Amino acid sequence: KAAGRGRVTVFDEEMLSDKRYRRLVERELRAAIYLGELELHYQPIVGTEGSIDALEGLIRWRHPVRGLISPAEFIPIAERSTLIDMIGEWVFKRACADIGHFPGQRISINVSGEQLKRDEIVTMCDRILRETGRSASGFIIEITETVATAATPEILRRLEALRGLGFHIALDDFGTGHCGFNYLKTLPIDSVKIDRSYIRSLAHDQVAQIFVSALAQIARIQDITIVAEGVETAEEFALARTAGCSRFQGYFFGKPAPRDKTSVLCAADGQP
Ligand code: C2E
Ligand code: CA
Ligand code: CA
Ligand code: CA
């Protein structure tokens, strides 16, 4: 049952290839939205001095029987249908409601590549901003490197449109796919998040150090912010800083937590 470090698989991966089982999970997930079983937790992203720059919203499913389910388990299932659009809408609405609890802070949300395949992403974001009276400049949209490298002209147009609304765009999991440095020039992005596998390697791998430093130098010219993901130790923080990263995220600074536990964390940081 345990797949990898500390991960318990709730849904039977083999059974997910079965259409009937998948339908069942999809139905449960759809119901979860209405039953209020989804939660958006927040993890701080800090600057070089350790003050909070933004909070990344990370979804969880509090299943009454199966317990707290990781997004890694149910997002891929949702991505197989338009359920991902419903979840994406729920996430952005939740973030718009929660941002009032974090004065002066921005919220970073994850947008699935599947959502970017449809024009609704732009109209949905625009509509929710108007409904909630929030400003797009309070939000960062994270897209994965895989999406960026396979971006069609339509996807690029949608990213530009979202940016036009005032959202910042972040390229997530950089280094896991085959993103070349040229993407920093061609993609409409404001920041790049270096995957935690690189941060983990900094201590013992010179190639990783050079990779991150080079990325940071190019990013500086392009006016792109570099975020180090998965920083777990003081050493990793120091190494990422030396390599040129200017934002940091990871268990060393704080684990994802429910909204009301996150605000305590901001207060402890001296933020209002
Ligand atoms: P991600 O966007 O790369 O998010 C970072 C993941 O790393 C999170 O896992 C976070 O809890 C974990 N993490 C943060 N700091 C550390 C650290 O220091 N060490 C380690 N080992 N891990 C750390 P999580 O919350 O399980 O999310 C997994 C993935 O699910 C996310 O990866 C993202 O791709 C996806 N996801 C999460 N929330 C959403 C959402 O609202 N919408 C969509 N479409 N995808 C989401
Ligand atoms: Ca992310
Ligand atoms: Ca990431
Ligand atoms: Ca990831």
Side-chain angles (χ1 to χ4, degrees):
K1 198 139 195 228
R5 209 160 37 120
R7 166 154 294 161
V8 176
T9 314
V10 204
F11 300 118
D12 192 313
E13 273 175 58
E14 239 158 70
M15 274 175 73
L16 282 174
S17 59
D18 181 81
K19 216 174 183 171
R20 277 207 321 258
Y21 180 72
R22 218 165 53 227
R23 283 284 137 75
L24 190 85
V25 175
E26 278 172 17
R27 206 156 50 228
E28 266 195 73
L29 190 46
R30 201 175 296 271
I33 301 174
Y34 296 107
L35 295 171
E37 291 172 7
L38 298 183
E39 295 179 7
L40 198 59
H41 287 199
Y42 293 97
Q43 184 180 34
I45 300 172
V46 308
T48 37
E49 305 305 324
S51 61
I52 295 177
D53 174 63
L55 297 154
E56 179 175 359
L58 295 155
I59 199 170
R60 275 99 183 83
W61 179 2
R62 198 170 293 278
H63 193 288
V65 179
R66 304 182 205 258
L68 198 65
I69 308 176
S70 144
E73 291 233 22
F74 65 89
I75 292 293
I77 299 171
E79 283 177 330
R80 302 179 76 136
S81 71
T82 52
L83 200 48
I84 191 63
D85 300 305
M86 288 176 67
I87 290 179
E89 177 163 352
W90 181 86
V91 166
F92 190 44
K93 274 189 184 153
R94 186 74 259 159
C96 283
D98 287 351
I99 201 164
H101 291 258
F102 308 116
Q105 246 108 54
R106 294 183 299 164
I107 292 181
S108 205
I109 57 167
N110 293 282
V111 166
S112 160
E114 294 303 314
Q115 286 177 268
L116 287 167
K117 289 182 182 168
R118 296 175 277 275
D119 272 328
E120 282 70 42
I121 180 69
V122 182
T123 49
M124 180 273 281
C125 287
D126 191 29
R127 172 171 54 80
I128 290 171
L129 285 175
R130 278 187 282 110
E131 281 171 7
T132 59
R134 300 297 184 198
S135 160
S137 60
F139 300 92
I140 303 160
I141 288 177
E142 300 193 8
I143 57 159
T144 61
E145 191 196 55
T146 348
V147 174
T149 47
T152 59
E154 287 74 36
I155 288 179
L156 288 176
R157 190 172 47 71
R158 284 171 205 128
L159 287 175
E160 294 284 9
L162 289 167
R163 230 180 167 200
L165 289 174
F167 288 98
H168 271 201
I169 310 286
L171 190 54
D172 203 356
D173 299 344
F174 194 86
T176 55
H178 24 251
C179 238
F181 288 147
N182 57 321
Y183 282 97
L184 303 191
K185 223 163 45 185
T186 55
L187 288 171
I189 51 167
D190 304 280
S191 57
V192 168
K193 302 184 79 174
I194 303 178
D195 191 71
R196 66 168 175 265
S197 55
Y198 281 88
I199 305 308
R200 210 65 75 242
S201 305
L202 285 178
H204 52 84
D205 181 356
Q206 213 190 350
V207 175
Q209 288 171 15
I210 294 167
F211 175 82
V212 177
S213 303
L215 181 64
Q217 284 176 52
I218 296 164
R220 200 168 299 128
I221 300 167
Q222 305 283 348
D223 207 20
I224 288 170
T225 306
I226 299 289
V227 186
E229 282 197 292
V231 177
E232 292 184 354
T233 64
E235 188 193 17
E236 285 171 356
F237 175 39
L239 287 166
R241 227 168 110 154
T242 305
C245 298
S246 60
R247 298 285 184 277
F248 312 84
Q249 180 180 5
Y251 297 166
F252 182 62
F253 303 100
K255 289 193 171 177
R259 185 197 68 196
D260 293 338
K261 294 203 172 131
T262 313
S263 33
V264 171
L265 209 136
C266 296
D269 192 61
Q271 301 282 325

